[in-house]
Amino acid sequence: MEMTGYMSRNAEYRKSLERSISRALLEGGAATEAEDAVVEGNITLKVGEEEEVKVDAQSYVSELQREVEQLRAEMASMKEREAERAEGESVVAYLRELSAEEL
């Protein structure tokens, strides 16, 4: 298969787009002021088909915030590994990784 200028430019664009999205996610682009919010009351969670459980709203929100922080840490770790791997990559190497359908 011959590589055209279009294919090369498309690969450069896709690689750039992947980096931009990763960077935006890692910088917490979706973070809001709600992270420090105080919530009162109870939340009813539906577990399974028929079972419902009442939990303290503040505890539930705190648990969700911890999970978000863990996921952000995982993303940061993945970004570091990707950056290390990407240092040696070029657009040609990226093209080799793509399947014919992705080109």
Side-chain angles (χ1 to χ4, degrees):
M1 175 166 77
E2 286 186 44
M3 185 168 124
T4 65
Y6 170 78
M7 293 169 86
S8 174
R9 178 67 185 127
N10 187 34
E12 288 178 29
Y13 173 74
R14 290 178 66 176
K15 191 73 169 169
S16 172
L17 187 60
E18 285 177 5
R19 283 189 207 124
S20 296
I21 290 171
S22 295
R23 191 175 307 122
L25 290 173
L26 289 174
E27 290 174 357
T32 64
E33 295 177 12
E35 291 178 358
D36 296 326
V38 176
V39 182
E40 296 178 0
N42 292 317
I43 297 174
T44 303
L45 300 173
K46 190 171 185 179
V47 181
E49 290 291 319
E50 299 177 12
E51 186 179 352
E52 290 185 353
V53 178
K54 285 191 177 189
V55 295
D56 179 59
Q58 185 62 45
S59 298
Y60 186 66
V61 169
S62 296
E63 184 178 330
L64 291 174
Q65 288 173 339
R66 279 190 299 276
E67 188 174 338
V68 166
E69 290 304 316
Q70 288 174 344
L71 291 171
R72 284 184 179 159
E74 279 183 47
M75 287 175 54
S77 174
M78 289 174 62
K79 182 183 179 194
E80 288 176 17
R81 285 186 298 225
E82 183 179 318
E84 290 171 1
R85 185 179 51 213
E87 286 178 14
E89 280 187 9
S90 67
V91 174
V92 175
Y94 178 69
L95 283 171
R96 287 183 194 139
E97 293 175 4
L98 296 176
S99 67
E101 290 130 12
E102 292 177 314
L103 291 173

